[in-house]
Amino acid sequence: MKHLSPRLVDLLEIAAYVFTADCATQRGTEWTDDDTSEPWSRNFRFVIPVRDHNFWCASDVQQLLVQVLKFLSDDDYTFEFQQLEKDRSVQDYLEFGSDENWPFQGVDRVIMFSAGWTPWLGLWKLRMAARILCWLATGQ
Amino acid sequence: MIKPRMVLCSGVTVPDDDSLQVGRQVIELDSLGINPNVHIHWKMWRGFS
C-alpha cells in the first residue's frame, strides 16, 4: 500500500470536518414543548471541496453518509460537495514501505482509534485476528 | 433546538444572501489553507505484532 487515493483523502477530511464541527457545537440545554422534548439533535449543513467530486455527489453515497451520521449522532446532516480547485501540498498519508525493515510493512488491518473506552473493546476483539495493526488515532 | 449550523470547509465561500445560509450560524473550518484551524496529522505505529 502506498499513498491513499484521492477519494480516501476526501473521506478522511470529511470525517475530520464532521468531528470538529461536532466538538465545536454543543447540544441544546433548554427543554422545549412545555418541557416535554429534549433539544438533543442539531442541524448541520456542510460545504466541502473534494477531489473525487462525481463520487461524493452521487445520491446513494450522500444518502449513506447522512444515514450513518444520523445513526451515530441523532443529528441532521446535509452535504454540498464542490470540486476542489487547489489541493494541499501533499502529505504522504499512511505510506507503507515495501522494504521488510520498514516499520509498517505488511499491515493486516487499519482501524480507527479515538479517546474513550470503546476503541479498546475493538482492539481486544481484533488482537488475535490481525498480526499487525495500524491505529488511526484522533486527539483534541 | 440550537441554531442550525452552516459549516464552510477548506476556504469555500457562499454568498451572504444564499438561501441555504439564511438562519444558520456559520462555522469556518480549514485544513488546507495557510492558516488552518483543523490539523490532520497521522501518526502510525505497530501494535500487537
Side-chain angles (χ1 to χ4, degrees):
Chain A
M1 179 166 24
K2 285 289 187 179
H3 306 308
L4 295 183
S5 68
R7 184 179 300 173
L8 285 177
V9 176
D10 288 337
L11 177 60
L12 293 170
E13 288 184 358
I14 292 167
Y17 285 138
V18 169
F19 177 79
T20 305
D22 171 67
C23 292
T25 309
Q26 71 176 64
R27 297 183 182 275
T29 56
E30 306 257 337
W31 288 63
T32 58
D33 300 333
D34 297 327
D35 294 338
T36 59
S37 298
E38 189 175 17
W40 172 258
S41 66
R42 301 164 296 182
N43 186 297
F44 293 101
R45 178 175 183 81
F46 286 82
V47 183
I48 307 176
V50 290
R51 296 155 188 83
D52 195 345
H53 184 255
N54 289 339
F55 174 79
W56 293 108
C57 284
S59 59
D60 56 337
V61 172
Q62 288 205 22
Q63 189 175 3
L64 285 172
L65 184 61
V66 168
Q67 282 179 355
V68 167
L69 292 171
K70 173 75 173 177
F71 174 78
L72 293 173
S73 67
D74 203 24
D75 296 321
D76 294 317
Y77 289 86
T78 52
F79 289 90
E80 176 186 335
F81 293 110
Q82 300 180 358
Q83 181 64 52
L84 179 65
E85 300 294 337
K86 184 179 179 182
D87 203 349
R88 71 171 79 233
S89 57
V90 176
Q91 175 189 350
D92 295 334
Y93 293 122
L94 299 176
E95 183 175 11
F96 298 104
S98 56
D99 185 345
E100 288 189 1
N101 293 324
W102 181 252
F104 305 111
Q105 191 269 342
V107 171
D108 296 317
R109 294 194 183 189
V110 178
I111 62 173
M112 301 297 289
F113 188 83
S114 63
W117 58 271
T118 45
W120 289 104
L121 297 178
L123 282 176
W124 181 257
K125 185 176 181 182
L126 285 170
R127 78 193 191 286
M128 299 302 289
R131 187 174 61 88
I132 302 174
L133 288 173
C134 177
W135 304 350
L136 298 182
T138 63
Q140 291 177 268
Chain B
M1 180 185 289
I2 63 167
K3 196 172 185 179
R5 261 51 172 180
M6 168 74 100
V7 188
L8 303 177
C9 303
S10 301
V12 296
T13 58
V14 296
D16 290 338
D17 59 350
D18 187 301
S19 60
L20 296 175
Q21 184 174 322
V22 174
R24 292 179 178 271
Q25 180 175 325
V26 174
I27 301 174
E28 294 183 350
L29 301 177
D30 191 3
S31 69
L32 302 178
I34 56 175
N35 292 311
N37 56 4
V38 175
H39 301 273
I40 302 175
H41 180 72
W42 305 104
K43 293 180 180 178
M44 299 181 292
W45 65 94
R46 187 184 252 192
F48 301 107
S49 59

